[in-house]
C-alpha cells in the first residue's frame, strides 16, 4: 500500500488512562491523527475486581474502540486492553497488551499484542502498622501507584496512591475505622503502572507496521502473520512433531492466505510425541 492511505485521517482512541502518548507516535508514521475519546473505559472491567471483566481482551478492546468511535463520530478507532497475570507453569507475572484498530471505511478490525515479563507488581497484607520499606521498594513505589483496601465492610478502597504521606494517612484511617486487615497492592491502570507503558507502545508499533502491508488479493491494510503450521520431522524418528514448519500470512478482511518458507531442518526430539512422550 501507499503510506498515504491514512494521511490526514483522524482516529479516536478510547482512553482515560493516558495512553495517547503511547499509541499516537506509531500511528503518526501512517499519517494517522489520533485524538482521545474520553469514554469511561473502567465500565469494561478493572484490575481491582470492583467491576468484573467478562470478555476476552480482544472483545473488550473492540467494545472500547467502538464506544470511543460512537462518542466521537469517527469511522476509525483505536483502543487497548491489558491482561496481567500468571501464565503457564512458572510463577512469573506476564503483561499481555492488546492494541486494536477498527476501520469502518475499509471494513476490517486488526489487533496486535506484545508480551512483557518486566511488569512491576506486588500485593501484601498488613495486620497492623505501616508498610515496610522493602515491600514498597518491591512494588516500585512511589513511581508505581498503590491501592489500599480495608477488610472493613463496606470495603474501603483507595486507588492511585503515589505519595508516602498519603499512603500512611489512608492506612492509618483504615485502622481507625476498625479494619483488622489492610491489603496493599499495585494499581495496574496504565497511568499508574509505568512498567506497562513500553509494552503498550510496542503493541502499537507492531500494529502500525502491520497496517503498512496490504493484502495481495484485496489490497486491504493489515496483511500479516495469522497462524503457523506445525509438523517438522523429528531428528531421531522422522515423525511429524509439534515444532513449527512454517508461518501462515493472511488478510485482515478477506480469506487470502499464504504459507511462508518451510523450515525443513530436523526438529529437536524433545518436541516429538514418540521420542519425548
Ligand atoms: Zn521422534
Ligand atoms: Zn484481502
Amino acid at each position: 500500500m501507499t503510506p498515504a492511505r491514512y494521511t490526514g485521517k483522524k482516529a479516536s482512541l478510547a482512553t482515560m488512562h493516558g495512553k495517547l502518548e503511547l499509541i499516537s507516535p506509531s500511528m503518526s508514521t501512517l499519517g494517522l491523527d489520533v485524538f482521545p475519546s474520553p469514554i469511561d473505559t473502567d465500565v469494561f472491567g478493572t484490575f481491582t475486581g470492583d467491576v468484573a471483566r467478562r470478555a476476552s481482551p480482544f472483545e473488550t478492546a473492540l467494545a472500547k474502540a467502538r464506544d470511543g468511535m460512537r462518542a466521537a463520530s469517527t469511522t476509525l478507532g483505536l483502543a487497548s486492553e491489558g491482561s496481567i497475570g500468571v501464565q503457564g507453569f512458572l510463577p512469573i507475572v506476564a503483561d499481555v497488551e492488546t492494541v486494536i484498530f477498527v476501520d469502518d471505511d475499509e471494513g476490517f478490525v486488526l489487533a496486535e499484542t506484545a508480551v512483557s515479563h518486566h511488569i512491576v507488581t506486588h500485593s501484601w497484607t498488613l495486620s497492623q502498622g505501616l508498610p515496610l520499606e522493602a515491600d514498597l521498594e518491591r512494588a516500585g513505589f512511589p513511581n508505581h501507584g498503590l491501592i489500599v483496601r480495608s477488610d472493613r465492610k463496606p470495603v474501603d478502597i483507595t486507588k492511585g496512591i503515589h505519595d508516602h504521606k498519603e499512603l500512611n494517612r489512608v492506612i492509618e484511617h483504615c485502622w481507625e475505622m476498625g479494619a483488622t486487615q489492610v491489603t496493599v497492592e499495585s494499581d495496574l491502570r496504565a497511568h499508574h503502572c509505568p512498567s506497562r507503558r513500553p509494552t503498550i507502545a510496542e503493541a502499537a508499533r507492531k500494529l502500525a507496521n502491520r497496517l503498512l502491508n496490504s493484502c495481495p488479493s484485496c489490497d486491504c491494510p493489515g496483511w500479516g502473520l495469522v497462524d503457523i503450521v506445525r509438523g517438522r520431522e523429528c531428528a531421531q524418528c522422522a515423525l511429524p512433531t509439534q515444532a513449527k514448519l512454517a508461518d501462515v500470512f493472511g488478510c485482515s478482511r478477506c480469506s487470502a492466505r499464504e504459507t511462508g518458507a518451510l523450515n525443513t531442518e530436523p526438529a529437536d526430539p524433545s518436541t516429538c510425541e514418540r521420542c519425548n512422550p
Side-chain angles (χ1 to χ4, degrees), residues 234 237 272 275:
C234 173
C237 74
C272 174
C275 301

Side-chain angles (χ1 to χ4, degrees), residues 227-250:
D227 201 0
I228 61 166
V229 182
R230 298 182 192 275
R232 263 163 64 200
E233 284 183 6
C234 173
Q236 202 163 292
C237 74
L239 274 185
T241 68
Q242 285 301 304
K244 184 175 87 172
L245 186 62
D247 288 324
V248 179
F249 301 95

Side-chain angles (χ1 to χ4, degrees), residues 148-202:
V148 170
R149 198 195 299 264
S150 162
D151 66 350
R152 186 184 66 93
K153 300 279 183 259
V155 174
D156 196 7
I157 179 164
T158 309
K159 301 185 192 180
I161 303 171
H162 286 269
D163 177 84
H164 278 95
K165 274 190 192 139
E166 190 196 354
L167 179 67
N168 292 349
R169 188 179 54 73
V170 168
I171 293 172
E172 271 161 1
H173 181 69
C174 291
W175 300 136
E176 280 161 20
M177 298 306 286
T180 58
Q181 273 202 333
V182 171
T183 303
V184 185
E185 63 191 44
S186 301
D187 190 334
L188 298 174
R189 293 174 295 167
H191 54 322
H192 294 289
C193 184
S195 52
R196 271 184 70 194
R197 298 171 70 81
T199 317
I200 298 170
E202 192 197 334

Side-chain angles (χ1 to χ4, degrees), residues 13-86:
L13 172 65
T15 183
M16 294 198 308
H17 299 154
K19 292 173 178 171
L20 185 67
E21 68 211 62
L22 305 177
I23 292 173
S24 168
S26 292
M27 295 302 145
S28 70
T29 64
L30 304 171
L32 196 59
D33 181 14
V34 182
F35 66 96
S37 182
I39 59 156
D40 181 5
T41 49
D42 282 353
V43 301
F44 295 102
T46 64
F47 292 106
T48 42
D50 43 354
V51 182
R53 278 192 164 81
R54 287 178 198 90
S56 71
F58 177 88
E59 288 167 337
T60 305
L62 180 58
K64 283 182 188 175
R66 287 264 173 231
D67 257 26
M69 290 163 74
R70 245 190 313 274
S73 301
T74 49
T75 53
L76 305 176
L78 289 150
S80 91
E81 174 72 2
S83 171
I84 295 157
V86 176

